[in-house]
Amino acid sequence: MYDHYSGALYGVIFRIVQSKEYTEEIIQDVFVKIWNSVHQYDSQKGRFYTWMINIARNTAIDYLKSKGFQNELKNQSIPDFVYNSTALSTSNNTSDFIGFNNVLESLETDKQELINMAYYQGYTQNEISEQLKIPLGTVKTKMRNALMKLRDLLKDYQ
């Protein structure tokens, strides 16, 4: 299982935490969670791969929000943890093992931003509303539209 899925899971986690060290720590936790909760997987609700991606994503976001991680950030110098989208986009981005960036880039910019904030930065819809200064209902509608458009693009991509 590790040989088949570790690359894709690593990419999802790395895109969220943006640190090789933290990603390696988190991926170990993810596979332990998968192993311990495999009996909870329900094939009627979705594919096994999607279930594992959600575990990886949620574990990475939980890690970012943990007090231990927040304390580590306080002890680092600023260049070590500031999000640098330019460096990420120009570097050899190892987080895109399944070509998802190509699909995501075909969305409109506002839809990309919503998906990025919700799924890679861990913002709730309330936090997105506050951050973008738009009503919560608008965020919900735009997020739903973005996900529907993304689903259609992924169908075409296969």
Side-chain angles (χ1 to χ4, degrees), residues 61-98:
I61 290 170
D62 289 347
Y63 187 82
L64 288 180
K65 291 183 176 183
S66 71
K67 286 188 179 190
F69 180 77
Q70 294 300 320
N71 287 336
E72 282 184 42
L73 288 180
K74 290 177 187 174
N75 294 328
Q76 291 181 359
S77 63
I78 290 177
D80 291 340
F81 69 90
V82 171
Y83 179 80
N84 186 344
S85 61
T86 306
L88 286 175
S89 63
T90 58
S91 69
N92 184 7
N93 193 351
T94 59
S95 68
D96 190 27
F97 286 99
I98 59 173

Side-chain angles (χ1 to χ4, degrees), residues 9-88:
L9 297 179
Y10 184 95
V12 169
I13 295 167
F14 184 80
R15 177 135 185 201
I16 294 169
V17 299
Q18 299 173 13
S19 163
K20 183 178 178 184
E21 177 185 336
Y22 297 135
T23 300
E24 290 171 356
E25 184 178 325
I26 293 168
I27 200 158
Q28 180 178 352
D29 292 342
V30 167
F31 276 100
V32 169
K33 284 182 180 182
I34 290 169
W35 181 262
N36 289 332
S37 61
V38 74
H39 65 279
Q40 294 176 346
Y41 168 67
D42 182 1
S43 62
Q44 300 296 328
K45 293 182 180 178
R47 295 182 355 202
F48 185 65
Y49 175 74
T50 306
W51 180 75
M52 289 191 313
I53 291 287
N54 283 325
I55 290 174
R57 178 187 162 275
N58 292 339
T59 302
I61 290 170
D62 289 347
Y63 187 82
L64 288 180
K65 291 183 176 183
S66 71
K67 286 188 179 190
F69 180 77
Q70 294 300 320
N71 287 336
E72 282 184 42
L73 288 180
K74 290 177 187 174
N75 294 328
Q76 291 181 359
S77 63
I78 290 177
D80 291 340
F81 69 90
V82 171
Y83 179 80
N84 186 344
S85 61
T86 306
L88 286 175

Side-chain angles (χ1 to χ4, degrees), residues 96-106 149-158:
D96 190 27
F97 286 99
I98 59 173
F100 187 73
N101 281 343
N102 295 336
V103 177
L104 191 60
E105 287 173 359
S106 61
K149 177 70 174 174
L150 186 61
R151 182 188 65 202
D152 292 341
L153 288 170
L154 285 170
K155 284 180 184 177
D156 294 340
Y157 196 75
Q158 295 174 347

Side-chain angles (χ1 to χ4, degrees), residues 138-155:
T138 304
V139 170
K140 289 181 178 188
T141 300
K142 285 185 172 190
M143 181 64 76
R144 182 175 185 275
N145 291 339
L147 291 173
M148 288 176 15
K149 177 70 174 174
L150 186 61
R151 182 188 65 202
D152 292 341
L153 288 170
L154 285 170
K155 284 180 184 177

